[in-house]
Amino acid sequence: ASTPAPVASTPAPVASTPAPVASTPAPVVCADKREAWTIDDISRSWCTWAAKTSTAGRCKNRDLYADCPKTCDSCPSGTPAPVASTLAPVISTLAPVASPTSECSCCAEVKEILKEILQILQA
């Protein structure tokens, strides 16, 4: 009787496919092209030019709708116009602190330092 020879078992390779990742597109902002470009051998900032006078006619005659959507009133619905960002001023005031009922040895020194700091802040 013969014994069969042992057979090495090697697992078959498994193809790994990464799961698709959904990407959220960045919001489109309705903004005019700022730099100058050439149309019919004339180089200028066409959006600024169109905004000066007869805007509707200039947008139509030079077909500026794609490059100057804000000026030519051709923004896709729901796209926000760019917003100038302004930072609000921050005003800081120190809250009054109650004085201790009895002074320790360092209180006078601390009071003087606080007076100096308050003078600097009010200057």
Side-chain angles (χ1 to χ4, degrees):
S2 71
T3 307
V7 177
S9 167
T10 305
V14 177
S16 169
T17 305
V21 176
S23 65
T24 305
V28 176
V29 175
C30 181
D32 290 348
K33 194 174 185 179
R34 289 182 170 185
E35 65 275 358
W37 72 97
T38 304
I39 298 176
D40 296 332
D41 295 325
I42 301 168
S43 181
R44 66 170 50 142
S45 179
W46 290 99
C47 300
T48 303
W49 172 80
K52 288 182 181 179
T53 185
S54 306
T55 302
R58 287 180 170 192
C59 288
K60 182 178 179 184
N61 293 339
R62 295 291 181 171
D63 190 22
L64 300 175
Y65 301 108
D67 292 311
C68 310
K70 188 170 185 235
T71 296
C72 297
D73 198 26
S74 61
C75 294
S77 63
T79 56
V83 177
S85 106
T86 55
L87 297 175
V90 175
I91 300 171
S92 174
T93 54
L94 297 174
V97 177
S99 298
T101 54
S102 64
E103 291 193 11
C104 61
S105 61
C106 63
C107 287
E109 183 182 346
V110 171
K111 282 182 182 179
E112 288 301 313
I113 294 171
L114 288 174
K115 281 182 187 177
E116 291 175 18
I117 292 171
L118 186 58
Q119 288 174 350
I120 292 170
L121 291 174
Q122 291 176 341

